[in-house]
Amino acid sequence: MDQTGWALAWVILVFVTDVTVRILAIIIVPRNRRPTAAMAWLLAIYFIPIIGVLLFLLIGNPRLPRKRRKKQQQINEYIRTTSHGLDLGTLRPDPPLWFAQLVRLNRNLGAMPLSGENDATLISGYQESIDEMAAAIRQAKSYVHAEFYILQCDKTTAGFFDALEDAVKRGVVVRVLLDHWANRGKPFYAETCRRLDAMGADWKLMLPVQPLRGKYQRPDLRNHRKLLVVDGHVAFMGSQNVTDSTYNLQKNIKRGLHWVDMMTRLDGPVVASVNAVFLSDWYSETDEVVEGIELFDVRTGSGDLDCQVIPSGPGFEFQNNLKLFMTLLFSAREKIIIVSPYFVPDEGLLIAIQTACQRGVHVELFVSEEGDQAMVYHAQRSYYEALLRGGVKIWMYERPFILHSKSMSIDDEVAVIGSSNMDMRSFGLNLEISLLVRGEDFVSQLRSVEDEYRALSRELTLDEWMQQPLRSTVLDNLARLTSALQ
């Protein structure tokens, strides 16, 4: 074959390969995927085929491996069976019909029961929450379960690690989980691992990306949960990692950035549900069933709050947290206040918020004026015009702070706090934990924190927003398109 023939053969091969890839993409990509995500992937594959195909093979599957999903199904069935028929405290009287339906939805999707006679205390001070957790650890007699997306032993968290070490010395079993990808290569990672080893803590990495050890899944799947359980009597959960408020990153220190977070201290029957989430993740990572812990050993708390824990993430069949937020938005009658550092809603969530405004519900959204992640920051900004025109009041928390708290309060009776942002990463890629609370006292606490945030924020108006330069609008819109690649 002469040179012309070889060239023609190559052209035909490239053409046939290109057509085959495009046909296969139409068959494979849209299956069981949101239309916007499918369209984004198809555009990437069609316009930048080599890069698009490689990206799809690397991060195109938003689900955990089948073995891991099967474990979650087994865990859910065990929790439903174990908690069925138990007296989980006296519930508050006269719940709205929608609340009972929401509880049933959460139970069906996430398995955890609703419990009564709980107490929940919000902690909005960054160092205060770390000190409170350390104080609880120092009271431990049997075990401590700590699970955090980011866990760093630094000057801010020294007391927390000292408390863990003292607990081990007293004979307390200390189990620790930390996300692999979020900590790997970060400041103090090696020091933290050595400290945990030296004290004798039993610690494991969550969702490790270690293909040579047979441990691999989509590399940007994360366990984003933050929780602590002491003896099954007291629990903490919320948005805060165990690290300095700068995350010890030079880029943050240079910009003067500090994170603002919120945790809640729990006692009562709901602690068992938080513990169940930890034990589920421990089993998923280690195949070890922890012996000697009665999962739903019900202990009456010091309050009268109804609480339900909602775990979510790629190990579940449905987006549990998104369905929780959607139900709350459609159920609100008077007021919705959302605090979310990364607010990138899907179409349904955006419509639910706009519909709430159109029904006459007062809606406020707290976000950060400063962004720490460029793509998410610009994707979030692309929704501001639609939100402002829809009637949402947007508060921008002052620089140089990153408002990292995550909460939603509905009217004056129901609220949600936890680790889940209102973005497509938290809905589809992150393992999250949320807490649904019914009780005026807790909502009153949250309202006080919201007032603190409002005092340190400025309101964004539509007139101001429409003065944005064209380059910002272009960046925002490009980031919005890439956010759909899940």
Side-chain angles (χ1 to χ4, degrees):
M1 186 181 295
D2 59 17
Q3 188 173 359
T4 302
W6 279 111
L8 180 61
W10 272 109
V11 170
I12 293 173
L13 178 62
V14 170
F15 175 77
V16 171
T17 302
D18 181 68
V19 171
T20 301
V21 168
R22 291 170 187 265
I23 293 173
L24 288 175
I26 292 174
I27 295 171
I28 296 171
V29 172
R31 186 172 183 180
N32 297 323
R33 196 181 298 271
R34 290 181 298 104
T36 51
M39 183 60 69
W41 276 116
L42 288 173
L43 288 172
I45 292 170
Y46 276 36
F47 284 100
I48 45 173
I50 296 176
I51 296 175
V53 169
L54 289 175
L55 281 175
F56 184 78
L57 293 174
L58 182 65
I59 63 172
N61 182 6
R63 306 181 74 183
L64 285 167
R66 184 176 301 172
K67 180 180 177 182
R68 179 77 178 242
R69 299 199 307 271
K70 187 174 181 180
K71 281 184 178 181
Q72 187 64 62
Q73 293 170 0
Q74 294 170 343
I75 291 164
N76 290 351
E77 186 57 36
Y78 176 78
I79 290 171
R80 289 191 188 97
T81 302
T82 305
S83 61
H84 179 71
L86 290 180
D87 180 3
L88 297 173
T90 302
L91 299 176
R92 297 171 65 89
D94 305 320
L97 177 60
W98 66 262
F99 184 79
Q101 294 173 335
L102 174 59
V103 168
R104 187 179 303 115
L105 170 72
N106 296 334
R107 176 76 152 163
N108 289 338
L109 298 182
M112 299 297 177
L114 179 71
S115 63
E117 298 184 81
N118 299 287
D119 187 61
T121 303
L122 285 176
I123 309 168
S124 59
Y126 197 95
Q127 186 66 56
E128 181 187 357
S129 67
I130 293 175
D131 293 343
E132 287 271 352
M133 288 189 287
I137 293 169
R138 293 187 187 281
Q139 301 299 315
K141 294 180 173 59
S142 179
Y143 63 85
V144 174
H145 291 160
E147 176 177 340
F148 288 89
Y149 176 60
I150 295 176
L151 186 75
Q152 295 182 342
C153 183
D154 56 35
K155 65 178 188 293
T156 299
T157 65
F160 183 93
F161 280 85
D162 289 344
L164 289 178
E165 186 172 7
D166 291 343
V168 174
K169 290 178 180 177
R170 297 195 308 273
V172 173
V173 177
V174 173
R175 299 182 180 92
V176 178
L177 291 170
L178 60 153
D179 186 83
H180 179 214
W181 206 257
N183 290 276
R184 178 179 177 273
K186 298 293 175 58
F188 300 104
Y189 175 58
E191 294 90 331
T192 300
C193 295
R194 286 196 293 267
R195 180 71 187 276
L196 292 170
D197 281 333
M199 73 173 65
D202 191 359
W203 66 277
K204 307 293 179 185
L205 296 172
M206 298 186 291
L207 298 178
V209 181
Q210 299 168 323
L212 296 180
R213 300 183 184 181
K215 298 177 179 179
Y216 183 81
Q217 62 278 318
R218 176 172 166 167
D220 62 340
L221 297 183
R222 304 280 188 272
N223 192 319
H224 195 240
R225 295 166 179 161
K226 295 98 175 170
L227 62 93
L228 175 74
V229 180
V230 178
D231 291 341
H233 300 167
V234 175
F236 293 79
M237 59 168 289
S239 66
Q240 186 171 335
N241 292 294
V242 177
T243 182
D244 185 74
S245 62
T246 64
Y247 281 47
N248 297 301
L249 295 173
Q250 285 302 314
K251 63 178 182 179
N252 295 340
I253 296 170
K254 184 177 180 180
R255 294 168 62 189
L257 298 184
H258 290 271
W259 266 241
V260 175
D261 275 289
M262 181 165 51
M263 296 290 281
T264 185
R265 180 190 185 278
L266 300 166
D267 64 59
V270 71
V271 173
S273 293
V274 180
N275 207 18
V277 173
F278 176 90
L279 293 171
S280 299
D281 287 341
W282 186 266
Y283 170 64
S284 295
E285 299 297 352
T286 68
D287 289 322
E288 176 191 352
V289 177
V290 177
E291 302 290 345
I293 295 179
E294 184 65 36
L295 188 56
F296 284 95
D297 179 16
V298 178
R299 298 172 184 272
T300 301
S302 56
D304 66 345
L305 301 174
D306 292 352
C307 296
Q308 186 179 31
V309 168
I310 301 94
S312 58
F316 292 88
E317 184 178 358
F318 301 101
Q319 297 174 320
N320 301 354
N321 49 354
L322 175 58
K323 292 180 183 296
L324 165 68
F325 297 144
M326 291 281 285
T327 303
L328 288 169
L329 290 170
F330 281 117
S331 300
R333 295 293 176 265
E334 298 174 1
K335 183 187 300 184
I336 300 168
I337 300 183
I338 301 168
V339 181
S340 182
Y342 310 117
F343 184 83
V344 186
D346 71 350
E347 297 92 332
L349 192 64
L350 181 62
I351 289 172
I353 292 173
Q354 293 171 326
T355 302
C357 291
Q358 292 161 353
R359 289 191 290 113
V361 177
H362 177 81
V363 181
E364 296 183 33
L365 170 66
F366 285 83
V367 295
S368 292
E369 185 176 32
E370 187 73 77
D372 67 302
Q373 298 182 28
M375 293 299 290
V376 180
Y377 174 67
H378 283 287
Q380 172 174 290
R381 285 162 49 92
S382 73
Y383 291 91
Y384 288 172
E385 181 179 347
L387 291 168
L388 290 167
R389 290 190 183 279
V392 177
K393 182 171 288 192
I394 299 178
W395 296 98
M396 306 184 75
Y397 199 87
E398 65 179 1
R399 295 184 173 98
F401 297 97
I402 301 296
L403 183 58
H404 194 244
S405 302
K406 306 119 183 355
S407 67
M408 178 191 287
S409 56
I410 301 298
D411 300 335
D412 291 318
E413 190 178 11
V414 176
V416 172
I417 69 157
S419 66
S420 180
N421 298 303
M422 287 196 177
D423 67 353
M424 286 173 272
R425 162 162 286 282
S426 279
F427 298 149
L429 303 181
N430 289 347
L431 279 72
E432 307 282 8
I433 181 171
S434 302
L435 177 71
L436 174 68
V437 183
R438 177 176 175 239
E440 295 86 350
D441 290 345
F442 184 79
V443 177
S444 178
Q445 290 183 60
L446 190 54
R447 289 279 186 264
S448 295
V449 175
E450 292 163 355
D451 288 342
E452 293 175 14
Y453 292 165
R454 194 177 290 104
L456 295 170
S457 303
R458 67 177 183 84
E459 184 178 354
L460 177 66
T461 65
L462 181 60
D463 288 342
E464 176 191 345
W465 183 249
M466 297 310 294
Q467 302 305 313
Q468 292 293 310
L470 178 62
R471 64 178 182 275
S472 295
T473 302
V474 171
L475 285 173
D476 296 345
N477 291 339
L478 287 174
R480 180 169 178 165
L481 288 175
T482 60
S483 71
L485 290 175
Q486 288 186 28

